[in-house]
Amino acid sequence: MKTRLTILLIIMSLATYAAKPKPSDPKATPEAVKLYQKMLKLQEKGLMFGHQDAFAYGTSWYATEGRSDVKDVCGDHPAIIGWELGHLELGGKYSLDSVFFDNIRKGIQNAHKLGGINTISWHFRNVLTGGTAWDVTSKKTVASMLPVGEKHQLYLQYLDKLATFMLSLKTEKGTQIPILFRPFHEHTGSWFWWGKNMSTVDEYKALWRFTVNYLRNEKNIHHLLYGYSTDRFSSEEEYLERYPGDDLIDMVAFDLYDRGPEYSATLSNCAKLVSKIGAEKGKIAAVSEAGGPISKNAEWWTKTLLETLRPYKLSYVLVWRNAFNQPPHAAFGPYKGCPSEQDFVKFYNDPKTLFLKDIR
Ligand code: BMA
């Protein structure tokens, strides 16, 4: 009797396990699986708030543990913490935004320990020309990085550095910290060397496939969830034109900055489409980057961002960095004394938005 009961319980828990959504990597670590399921579940509950480099620096401080501009304003940290790895490929000690890679690692460990979710972007150098991520002088960069291309070996060196860093992201117990990795973003625009006009659809997709397979199969990296983030788009077809495949991607997302009066309408349309695509594919859907004129529009958080996104089921919206020691208009997140400070507190208090304390 007891044995039968045990068998029944095992079957039931296996059935529950099998029924839960799984990330695209069949070998995903238990922590990556857990993060994926947690994000999908939270997506039903509310919209997480994210901020780029939240723990690294703010408008008026740099590398101060426990601080974030967001916390200064509303008393809680963002739920999603963004990090940037540009220049890691060059082998230096700090990123293109002057953050030490050791501090990025520590910040990621800290965010994870606090119950937050870490996402990483990578504005890496143009592998063919040696220029920046914004060097769009050649249409051959992507092709040159593929296995038969002239810069393939150099790209492998870049990926090896990336892999070493990703593998160094561990908890005190030595478990890999799950990360939402979002390379080759905003590719529906053409301001990065991986942008639309710089490669063919097939080359772009092949770059994704090669990269993910290399990290998974050659580097044995299984703690990453992969995000596909376009810039603005107007239809499902346009969104999915360069989508590399359900077996590689865990999150469908887009980046969109407020640069004029048409913002709400465009944001609404992109949010609607991406949440539909996410629901159909059973994947996370998000606004992976946003930002608005928060130093001029004192109600941007509630009237523009929140009211536009409220109708949709999206995992998160992440606003870009508050560059240290720059003029106020350069900050995309709130900070103590900014004109939209009170409005951000309203945004924080709205039941739709989720911050760190809400997701632990
Ligand atoms: C851009 C700007 C740059 C920065 C880059 C990578 O949008 O914020 O200053 O170097 O992102 O983080």
Side-chain angles (χ1 to χ4, degrees):
M1 192 62 194
K2 212 174 162 193
T3 338
R4 269 202 218 156
L5 192 65
T6 318
I7 293 171
L8 190 67
L9 284 176
I10 292 173
I11 292 173
M12 277 166 67
S13 54
L14 279 177
T16 324
Y17 176 79
K20 282 195 173 170
K22 299 282 174 359
S24 60
D25 182 352
K27 291 187 181 167
T29 61
E31 291 73 24
V33 173
K34 216 171 122 194
L35 175 62
Y36 187 65
Q37 293 171 348
K38 180 178 173 172
M39 290 183 76
L40 284 172
K41 212 168 151 191
L42 283 169
Q43 193 165 294
E44 299 296 314
K45 197 178 154 205
L47 176 71
M48 287 188 277
F49 182 73
H51 191 203
Q52 181 70 6
D53 275 348
F55 286 1
Y57 53 82
T59 46
S60 61
W61 57 274
Y62 185 84
T64 312
E65 212 188 308
R67 190 164 180 189
S68 72
D69 273 354
V70 170
K71 191 174 181 199
D72 282 359
V73 168
C74 69
D76 197 3
H77 289 303
I80 307 270
I81 318 291
W83 303 94
E84 164 60 36
L85 293 185
H87 287 188
L88 181 80
E89 68 282 5
L90 302 180
K93 289 198 177 323
Y94 55 87
S95 75
L96 85 164
D97 298 325
S98 308
V99 186
F100 284 95
F101 293 114
D102 281 348
N103 284 348
I104 296 183
R105 183 183 307 103
K106 276 186 213 143
I108 287 174
Q109 288 163 334
N110 186 25
H112 180 72
K113 208 170 165 180
L114 293 173
I117 298 170
N118 289 292
T119 179
I120 290 183
S121 54
W122 191 22
H123 291 76
F124 66 112
R125 290 282 181 142
N126 185 317
V127 186
L128 179 62
T129 66
T132 70
W134 293 265
D135 177 357
V136 289
T137 53
S138 171
K139 291 187 193 300
K140 299 208 167 88
T141 303
V142 172
S144 80
M145 296 157 70
L146 297 173
V148 288
E150 58 179 292
K151 291 291 176 183
H152 185 62
Q153 290 309 317
L154 180 61
Y155 184 44
L156 292 187
Q157 288 172 25
Y158 284 10
L159 286 181
D160 290 349
K161 292 198 177 84
L162 177 76
T164 304
F165 184 82
M166 291 296 194
L167 287 168
S168 78
L169 303 174
K170 291 182 181 165
T171 64
E172 280 159 11
K173 287 189 187 149
T175 327
Q176 297 288 176
I177 297 172
I179 301 286
L180 190 55
F181 183 43
R182 202 172 61 83
F184 313 127
H185 63 301
E186 297 179 7
H187 61 279
T188 51
S190 294
W191 42 87
F192 296 128
W193 55 255
W194 56 83
K196 193 177 175 183
N197 295 340
M198 259 52 70
S199 63
T200 65
V201 168
D202 287 347
E203 284 163 354
Y204 180 83
K205 286 187 184 176
L207 179 64
W208 256 105
R209 189 158 290 279
F210 174 79
T211 304
V212 175
N213 283 339
Y214 183 78
L215 295 174
R216 281 181 187 168
N217 307 332
E218 302 300 322
K219 294 284 152 183
N220 209 13
I221 291 181
H222 300 289
H223 58 296
L224 305 183
L225 300 178
Y226 290 91
Y228 170 84
S229 314
T230 63
D231 195 78
R232 69 182 56 230
F233 60 98
S234 48
S235 67
E236 267 184 69
E237 296 67 45
E238 192 188 351
Y239 185 82
L240 292 172
E241 191 188 18
R242 291 178 176 233
Y243 182 73
D246 288 339
D247 57 332
L248 305 179
I249 300 297
D250 301 299
M251 176 178 81
V252 288
F254 65 96
D255 296 1
L256 198 70
Y257 287 80
D258 185 345
R259 301 226 160 87
E262 91 312 333
Y263 186 64
S264 292
T266 313
L267 181 64
S268 172
N269 190 46
C270 292
K272 186 172 88 189
L273 292 173
V274 101
S275 59
K276 178 171 179 271
I277 295 167
E280 282 166 6
K281 290 184 174 298
K283 302 205 182 272
I284 301 162
V287 186
S288 40
E289 283 183 39
I294 58 154
S295 59
K296 286 191 217 127
N297 180 350
E299 292 187 311
W300 188 80
W301 298 107
T302 56
K303 296 274 155 53
T304 304
L305 192 63
L306 186 55
E307 287 324 309
T308 307
L309 296 181
R310 194 185 289 286
Y312 309 112
K313 277 188 184 160
L314 292 164
S315 171
Y316 70 88
V317 57
L318 175 144
V319 295
W320 206 240
R321 66 204 196 99
N322 282 9
F324 170 59
N325 230 356
Q326 296 289 315
H329 67 258
F332 290 106
Y335 55 92
K336 205 78 199 143
C338 81
S340 59
E341 188 179 343
Q342 287 319 309
D343 190 55
F344 189 82
V345 176
K346 274 195 206 155
F347 175 88
Y348 168 73
N349 284 325
D350 193 288
K352 171 83 179 178
T353 59
L354 305 174
F355 284 69
L356 186 63
K357 286 178 194 155
D358 303 313
I359 69 154
R360 290 202 284 220

